[in-house]
Amino acid sequence: MKFTKMHGCGNDYVYVNCFKEEVKNAGAVSRFVSDRHFGIGSDGLILIKSSEVADFKMAMYNSDGSEGEMCGNGIRCVAKYVYDYGLTDKEQISIETKAGIKHLELQVNGGKVETVTVDMGSPITTPAEVPVISDRDIVLAEKITKGGMDYEMTCVSMGNPHAIVFVEDTSKVEIEKAGPLFENDKERFPNRTNTEFIQVLDRGTINMRVWERGAGETLACGTGACASVYACILNEKTDDEVLVHLLGGDLKIRYDREKNHMFMTGPATVVFDGEIDITGIE
Ligand SMILES: N[C@H](CCC[C@H](N)C(=O)O)C(=O)O
């Protein structure tokens, strides 16, 4: 199977052009290629496919083989792939995902995509004044205790679930301990959850670390950055445009009140092209 290794702010995936390759058992292939010792090494697998309703279709799988509804860093890299590898010459494209059709603007320099702006759609919430616990889409600043630590949590969905917790200092979070406690709290999150730990630096800047559903700590999470900025806005901690500092780089997030849409701008990088034998796995 031919692939291209790419990353967005260090959130790295194995990308497969399914116009040319066939991947039958994507979950198992994701587990295999993601292994950083026996495979290629990545946070998961992303398939680039044709779509009946958009220019392209993206299917994303976490390193544990579970399928995510959407991937912010991944969709920027899909946009870079389809432009740089000649599948399109359009600088505005649409990509079908399990979280709906997303619209992207490519910033091209010297014939290659450098950064991408994604309309990430509306943060999925229930009426904020009625923090409905049942569907967990959004609960404002709920006090929650995990592993003996008290947290202030807001839940926002970007098509995939996010639990955002506000902390004094992200560098002090024992994420290997705290992350799984949120991820696997099936009573609150029947489909598990991504968890973002947020330190507000000022009204336009936050630090973020993330424990991703199905992947563990990653260096960045695009949907998580959007969900986190929206949680900051709801809790009146930031303005509508926020620079998010992640372990792997920075993302610019903007909330458009008129449209009630989150916009994300960030880089996309090709690392290398390769080929791997998936006989017996696919
Ligand atoms: N782990 C996520 C999918 C990847 C999201 C993240 N890598 C991003 O950039 O948005 C989930 O299961 O919902």
Side-chain angles (χ1 to χ4, degrees):
M1 176 186 81
K2 286 188 170 60
F3 67 85
T4 298
K5 184 78 191 317
M6 304 178 78
H7 75 84
C9 299
N11 186 204
D12 61 330
Y13 292 93
V14 170
Y15 291 78
V16 179
N17 174 354
C18 292
F19 291 84
K20 292 184 177 165
E21 305 287 330
E22 190 186 14
V23 177
K24 291 191 202 105
N25 187 344
V29 171
S30 184
R31 283 191 293 275
F32 169 60
V33 300
S34 298
D35 190 299
R36 295 191 188 276
H37 300 286
F38 299 104
I40 299 163
S42 66
D43 289 329
L45 171 74
I46 290 185
L47 305 182
I48 300 166
K49 301 179 165 187
S50 63
S51 167
E52 312 262 305
V53 296
D55 294 322
F56 298 95
K57 182 177 182 179
M58 172 180 81
M60 84 75 53
Y61 299 82
N62 293 300
S63 53
D64 73 349
S66 62
E67 186 172 7
E69 297 84 351
M70 176 48 193
C71 182
N73 289 312
I75 204 166
R76 295 199 316 276
C77 289
V78 169
K80 177 173 179 65
Y81 182 93
V82 295
Y83 186 90
D84 289 13
Y85 285 70
L87 279 70
T88 184
D89 58 4
K90 291 165 60 174
E91 298 189 13
Q92 296 192 343
I93 62 171
S94 58
I95 298 178
E96 179 190 354
T97 76
K98 285 184 80 172
I101 297 173
K102 305 301 175 187
H103 297 275
L104 300 86
E105 275 188 25
L106 287 54
Q107 289 89 40
V108 178
N109 188 1
K112 300 266 186 207
V113 171
E114 237 175 29
T115 55
V116 182
T117 297
V118 188
D119 177 346
M120 296 289 280
S122 299
I124 301 167
T125 64
T126 48
E129 63 280 3
V130 181
V132 175
I133 299 284
S134 59
D135 60 19
R136 305 305 311 164
D137 270 349
I138 181 167
V139 172
L140 278 184
E142 178 195 7
K143 301 290 175 218
I144 183 171
T145 302
K146 286 288 179 189
M149 293 280 288
D150 293 333
Y151 295 96
E152 193 187 32
M153 176 178 78
T154 293
C155 297
V156 176
S157 173
M158 291 302 297
N160 59 349
H162 296 273
I164 292 100
V165 289
F166 297 101
V167 297
E168 284 302 309
D169 181 347
T170 47
S171 68
K172 297 221 173 12
V173 175
E174 291 181 277
I175 203 164
E176 301 279 340
K177 212 170 117 192
L181 297 175
F182 285 87
E183 177 185 9
N184 300 310
D185 179 344
K186 289 287 181 72
E187 186 265 324
R188 288 174 187 277
F189 307 108
N191 298 319
R192 300 188 294 168
T193 188
N194 301 284
T195 308
E196 285 78 20
F197 299 86
I198 301 300
Q199 177 187 354
V200 179
L201 300 176
D202 59 43
R203 292 194 62 82
T205 324
I206 63 175
N207 281 343
M208 174 180 137
R209 283 179 69 194
V210 57
W211 182 270
E212 279 200 34
R213 173 179 65 173
E217 181 168 24
T218 62
L219 299 187
C221 179
T223 51
C226 293
S228 298
V229 168
Y230 191 64
C232 289
I233 293 166
L234 285 177
N235 288 282
E236 299 176 342
K237 293 176 184 281
T238 66
D239 297 330
D240 291 355
E241 285 202 30
V242 178
L243 183 66
V244 181
H245 293 316
L246 301 134
L247 294 182
D250 292 346
L251 289 174
K252 284 190 199 124
I253 309 296
R254 176 173 64 83
Y255 176 52
D256 181 318
R257 283 180 185 268
E258 293 290 300
K259 294 180 180 162
N260 184 34
H261 280 201
M262 302 303 295
F263 288 83
M264 167 190 65
T265 299
T269 307
V270 171
V271 184
F272 68 93
D273 294 304
E275 190 159 7
I276 188 166
D277 181 2
I278 57 170
T279 310
I281 294 171
E282 81 278 32

